[in-house]
Amino acid sequence: MFSPLRRLSVIDSHTGGEPTRVIPGGMRAVDLELYRRAILCEPRGHEVIVGALLEEPEDKECVARATFFNNAGLLGMCGHGMIGVLATLQHLGRIAPGVHRVETPVGVVTATLHDDGRVSVRNVVAYRKASGVAAGKVTGDVAWGGNWFYLVADHGLLLTPENLPQLTQASLEIREQIRSAGYPEVDHIELFGPAHGPANHSRNFVLCPGGEYDRSPCGTGTSAKLACLAADGKLAPGEIWRQESVIGSVFEGLYETVEGGIVPTITGRAFVVAETVLLFGEDDPFARGIAFAAIGDEAGEGFTKEGTERHRG
Ligand code: PYC
């Protein structure tokens, strides 16, 4: 059991429909694993939420260090999450429109907060690792965009919200097959189809590591797509690619070429939707989230005094 009552401030936003829960301070990444599911999942949240823990950066040119995490574990980078982090920092009055650097576990990302609230994330280097890789009945590319993706077009499924159960099931099976085919690092599956919006170039469905689908077009997934388009000579540097999600939200992407791959820039907008204080009661059997009900008390280690006391009434 927890002892005593703990409190943690979080700020929720969504980017193209995909939620981000930012912890602006008060916790250490080293302790994240103890609390990851308690912060994100039921009964305080739900499996779709991506968390972003903000800490003091090592690189003092950066505004923060962001560690992204979800119901399955840690993420390398997160495009929609980074857009949510910038919107949240602006909401907190910590940044104004302009160019900001943010440290992530996979490198420093530069993000521009525009006057109209849009954010352009200049991501880490993206590249295609392999093309034309067969996995069961489908063939696709393996690419890095800040996370590992298997990108497939010949799946034969309609990318519509009505089809989400089938898309999820097919993607879970494809993930098993691509891992067995020699790519165990792949944890995101990205299915492509024709765009529904006339201004857009493509629609995607993205299966995230914990089995949920991305409501946004996925910033790292769009980065992986740009790397494949660049490798195939289908998109020129600086040309705009409008990637639509399965629910119809859109990211704009473009890239510049560098040694070993491309540097993608992804633009989207996040909206702050809630300021919340999470409570972890001493006698709450689900203080660690439902999956942790049977785990004993670690006495609230991981929460710093500042973060847990800030909103104490
Ligand atoms: O936007 O990069 C992204 C992302 C990764 C997982 C969910 N969203």
Side-chain angles (χ1 to χ4, degrees):
M1 288 208 303
F2 276 109
S3 172
L5 179 75
R6 299 293 188 181
R7 307 165 71 97
L8 188 70
S9 295
V10 298
I11 298 189
D12 289 345
S13 61
H14 79 83
T15 311
E18 180 75 353
T20 307
R21 176 162 281 178
V22 174
I23 305 165
M27 244 196 105
R28 300 168 303 213
V30 70
D31 298 306
L32 194 51
E33 197 45 37
L34 278 177
Y35 298 96
R36 183 173 51 76
R37 290 189 59 87
I39 291 163
L40 297 182
C41 299
E42 294 183 52
R44 291 170 190 76
H46 54 89
E47 304 284 317
V48 184
I49 299 175
V50 171
L53 170 61
L54 302 188
E55 294 176 286
E56 277 299 312
E58 273 171 32
D59 176 350
K60 294 302 170 201
E61 302 271 288
C62 292
V63 64
R65 177 175 177 82
T67 303
F68 295 103
F69 56 102
N70 66 11
N71 56 336
L74 299 181
L75 286 164
M77 228 300 276
C78 182
H80 95 268
M82 186 60 81
I83 295 170
V85 164
L86 269 279
T88 298
L89 288 173
Q90 181 180 35
H91 177 77
L92 290 171
R94 290 200 202 167
I95 61 167
V99 180
H100 304 281
R101 287 160 58 87
V102 182
E103 237 172 48
T104 78
V106 293
V108 170
V109 164
T110 307
T112 303
L113 174 63
H114 301 282
D115 288 335
D116 63 3
R118 287 175 313 127
V119 175
S120 295
V121 177
R122 189 171 182 273
N123 199 358
V124 295
V125 172
Y127 62 96
R128 180 163 74 181
K129 180 177 182 181
S131 67
V133 182
K137 293 188 187 126
V138 300
T139 303
D141 294 351
V142 175
W144 168 257
N147 293 297
W148 281 108
F149 290 82
Y150 181 50
L151 302 90
V152 176
D154 66 349
H155 46 78
L157 295 166
L158 282 179
L159 303 189
T160 59
E162 297 71 35
N163 227 5
L164 285 168
Q166 292 89 326
L167 291 164
T168 302
Q169 186 53 38
S171 299
L172 287 167
E173 287 168 16
I174 291 172
R175 190 166 67 188
E176 284 312 303
Q177 283 155 345
I178 188 66
R179 286 177 170 170
S180 307
Y183 297 93
E185 67 274 32
V186 170
D187 55 0
H188 292 72
I189 302 297
E190 192 166 5
L191 308 182
F192 290 92
H196 292 197
N200 304 331
H201 296 97
S202 160
R203 171 171 279 231
N204 68 10
F205 166 90
V206 179
L207 180 82
C208 296
E212 288 296 331
Y213 77 93
D214 196 331
R215 277 68 173 158
S216 84
C218 192
T220 51
T222 301
S223 299
K225 174 69 175 173
L226 294 176
C228 296
L229 289 166
D232 285 333
K234 290 185 173 163
L235 189 76
E239 207 177 320
I240 301 261
W241 181 263
R242 286 176 58 86
Q243 184 65 56
E244 185 183 273
S245 76
V246 69
I247 66 161
S249 53
V250 176
F251 284 165
E252 271 188 9
L254 53 79
Y255 73 89
E256 60 208 83
T257 309
V258 293
E259 181 70 30
I262 61 158
V263 176
T265 297
I266 306 296
T267 299
R269 171 121 198 240
F271 297 86
V272 172
V273 294
E275 293 179 338
T276 305
V277 182
L278 300 178
L279 304 179
F280 305 88
E282 130 177 51
D283 54 351
D284 177 355
F286 296 114
R288 290 281 162 84
I290 286 172
F292 284 96
I295 290 184
D297 180 31
E298 273 95 16
E301 288 153 345
F303 293 94
T304 62
K305 193 163 186 301
E306 181 207 338
T308 56
E309 300 290 322
R310 193 179 303 131
H311 289 276
R312 201 181 281 279

